[in-house]
Amino acid sequence: MLLLLMVSCQLTADRTIAQKDIYGFWQLEGEVNKELPWSKIEFINDSDIWIDPSLDTIYHYRHFTINGDSLILTDHQMQESIYRVDHLEDSDLVITDFKNTGVQLHFRKFVGKSAEGEYMMDGCHTKVFSARDLSPDSLDVNVKSVLVNEYYEYAKKEIHILSRHEIQTARRILESYFENKEYQNKLDKDRYPYPFNQYVRQYTAHVENGDIIVTVNLLRRWCAFDGYTSLKMDIYEVCDGGPSYATAVINLTKGEIVWFMTNGEA
């Protein structure tokens, strides 16, 4: 009996995970598909944790802790989600217990490195990503993260979360605007935009006087540690960059573009 107790205690001790070891950026190994619950995990600090699922949304958590082999995530409503860390060592992380599905996910830690196509930003190495490297069906991003919601709340605007159908409608309106070159006589020629599918398009929306107003942020390239995931986190904005960056405002209720402008040059 004493021997069994000692073995049990040793197993429990071996299952204890050091919280400091989980900080960083984790990428799912193997093929990512919509059936899997997570594709990336980012433990930036104690109060900034991002979970990127395989679908079009993203989750942000205010706090996390590790108790033994349990990973406890706390969201903005102070609700806890608990998962089991089966393994954490160096660059390998294995997590299970996704709502009793029995799914086990293997992650590998990744970091930005100084190399061709990368540069320093805010003291960190970040990579430059381009819209041309994405398939056309990945160019439209419905930004539904808590950061965008908090911005609209701060601006005292009524948030509207766009449905897939509304995204498709806004996309058709903006694509028609490009195809018909309706920006002519409104912009200088050196500020004409690039072709429609040379941009990633980030969509957010609010309600104004009963109408759904969609803001579309267009960018040909962006800089980040984590590629496509960063597009879901927040609107990527720059102050210049010429026609490589643009903004469109669409009255979705009336089906019309109410404002369009490409960036100026610094």
Side-chain angles (χ1 to χ4, degrees):
M1 180 67 71
L2 179 60
L3 178 60
L4 289 174
L5 181 60
M6 290 174 63
V7 170
S8 176
C9 290
Q10 182 61 45
L11 287 173
T12 301
D14 290 343
R15 304 277 299 161
T16 300
I17 305 297
Q19 184 157 321
K20 64 180 179 59
D21 293 339
I22 206 166
Y23 290 105
F25 298 75
W26 300 87
Q27 170 71 56
L28 182 68
E29 288 193 315
E31 184 178 354
V32 176
N33 62 69
K34 65 181 181 180
E35 303 300 324
L36 298 176
W38 296 353
S39 64
K40 288 183 182 177
I41 318 171
E42 302 188 3
F43 292 92
I44 299 172
N45 56 51
D46 289 352
S47 58
D48 197 6
I49 305 99
W50 293 91
I51 304 292
D52 186 1
S54 301
L55 297 177
D56 68 344
T57 191
I58 196 164
Y59 302 105
H60 185 260
Y61 294 88
R62 290 291 196 196
H63 181 70
F64 86 97
T65 189
I66 293 178
N67 184 4
D69 64 352
S70 295
L71 170 64
I72 305 169
L73 298 171
T74 305
D75 65 17
H76 289 244
Q77 286 74 47
M78 302 306 294
Q79 298 296 312
E80 291 185 347
S81 299
I82 303 176
Y83 306 93
R84 189 174 76 237
V85 179
D86 279 0
H87 177 77
L88 174 60
E89 185 178 0
D90 298 327
S91 297
D92 295 307
L93 171 64
V94 180
I95 296 181
T96 56
D97 278 0
F98 288 90
K99 298 182 179 178
N100 299 317
T101 61
V103 172
Q104 183 182 71
L105 298 183
H106 295 249
F107 296 88
R108 182 166 293 275
K109 185 178 288 188
F110 69 102
V111 296
K113 297 180 179 179
S114 181
E116 184 178 357
E118 301 181 7
Y119 75 107
M120 293 288 290
M121 183 172 72
D122 296 333
C124 298
H125 293 288
T126 58
K127 186 175 181 180
V128 179
F129 295 90
S130 174
R132 67 172 178 266
D133 297 327
L134 299 176
S135 61
D137 62 356
S138 296
L139 293 173
D140 298 289
V141 184
N142 190 1
V143 188
K144 299 184 286 186
S145 84
V146 68
L147 297 186
V148 173
N149 294 345
E150 287 179 345
Y151 164 76
Y152 278 119
E153 289 172 354
Y154 178 79
K156 297 182 178 180
K157 293 182 179 181
E158 181 183 347
I159 304 161
H160 180 82
I161 303 300
L162 291 162
S163 67
R164 186 177 298 274
H165 174 70
E166 288 170 333
I167 290 285
Q168 292 171 344
T169 302
R171 182 189 186 280
R172 286 195 296 269
I173 293 169
L174 186 56
E175 186 173 24
S176 174
Y177 184 87
F178 270 66
E179 289 177 349
N180 295 326
K181 295 182 170 57
E182 294 178 43
Y183 47 77
Q184 292 186 31
N185 303 320
K186 299 177 183 178
L187 298 172
D188 294 334
K189 286 188 176 181
D190 60 354
R191 294 183 64 179
Y192 280 8
Y194 289 95
F196 186 68
N197 277 334
Q198 290 188 22
Y199 291 101
V200 168
R201 300 171 291 269
Q202 296 179 297
Y203 297 78
T204 62
H206 68 282
V207 177
E208 187 175 308
N209 298 323
D211 291 349
I212 298 172
I213 306 299
V214 180
T215 300
V216 188
N217 188 48
L218 300 96
L219 50 147
R220 296 187 77 209
R221 55 184 180 271
W222 73 100
C223 311
F225 277 114
D226 47 2
Y228 197 82
T229 294
S230 63
L231 297 174
K232 300 180 182 182
M233 291 180 175
D234 203 357
I235 295 299
Y236 187 92
E237 294 183 320
V238 296
C239 295
D240 48 59
S244 291
Y245 302 93
T247 305
V249 178
I250 303 169
N251 186 316
L252 195 62
T253 303
K254 296 179 178 177
E256 61 186 21
I257 302 284
V258 296
W259 193 82
F260 178 81
M261 184 68 68
T262 60
N263 280 15
E265 298 284 359

